[in-house]
Amino acid sequence: MPPELKIQQLRYVITVVEEGSFHAASRRLHRTQPALSMAVRELEQKLGQNFLERGSKVRLTPFGEYCLPRFRDLVNQHDRMARDVAAHADGREGHIHIATVPSVASRIMPSFLARFITRFPDVNISLHDENAHYVCQMVANGEVDLGITSLWQNSEELHYRHLFEDKIGVVCRRDHALAQHKTLDWQRLRGEKLIGNGTSRLLMNTAAAELVENSAFYISNMISLLAMLEAGAGVTTLPRLAFPEQSASLCFIPLDNPDVVRRIGLVKSANRTLAPAAQAMEAFVLEQMWADAV
């Protein structure tokens, strides 16, 4: 069985050679000279060969000439690995996969991720833009580390932490009769052609449930939904974040009766431990995400 080589002893040999004496090496290493000499002698005895010629000046033996570059390689490799492991352990390195609903991806994540990568420049991030159901499914299946989404029902597979609420409103063309109102009661929507979408289920189990049940269309794709609204095909309900604020032709009117919100939270697996980089992302989300949503 090969002898055990202690990194600290190898470091001592390298430093003695670089400094040219045990005395100078002891000052650099903050060790006493006898302790340094004893550690080098112990390694020589373990290997059965001397590294240094005996005398007043430090001079390598042929065995020492052979060992020195190999000791340097081993110490450098050890130090690199130690730095890498430490960086990975405290979340400064790694790869994070995170999935969010489209409105969060486009409205909140750009500035949020810009701040995150400023603090953690060596972390790689993959952002997935999916609907709420699929975000939860990706987290449950282990395809992503974290999800930022609505959780429509409790799940033993997922752990949910609430982040913020996103108010529901009515979206219509600016030239629509409803656009003159600052807020709306759901009953004013009776007789309107309501276009259902993936978030319409938020109206279920409220007084406005009949609007969803009697909706004229159902469109899950946001681009298609906005095109239908701009064409004057009807009105819809959306969370505030999902409304395109830059739209010149559409407007958002808060729905006050019923007062409905979409709850957005951080979702992770209830059965798996997050990698350190994902733990850092989780802490950063809980610390700062609310500021982007306010």
Side-chain angles (χ1 to χ4, degrees), residues 170-181 184 188-194 228-236 249-251 253:
V170 176
V171 178
C172 63
R173 280 174 45 137
R174 291 185 183 276
D175 59 2
H176 194 285
L178 294 175
Q180 64 182 310
H181 297 278
L184 282 171
R188 287 188 177 272
L189 301 178
R190 280 178 166 164
E192 297 290 343
K193 290 183 179 179
L194 185 73
M228 291 286 283
L229 294 170
E230 289 170 350
V235 303
T236 195
S249 59
L250 301 177
C251 64
I253 310 110

Side-chain angles (χ1 to χ4, degrees), residues 46-59:
K46 185 183 294 184
L47 294 172
Q49 292 286 340
N50 293 337
F51 302 118
L52 304 169
E53 300 285 3
R54 298 311 181 205
S56 59
K57 186 178 181 180
V58 170
R59 186 159 52 90

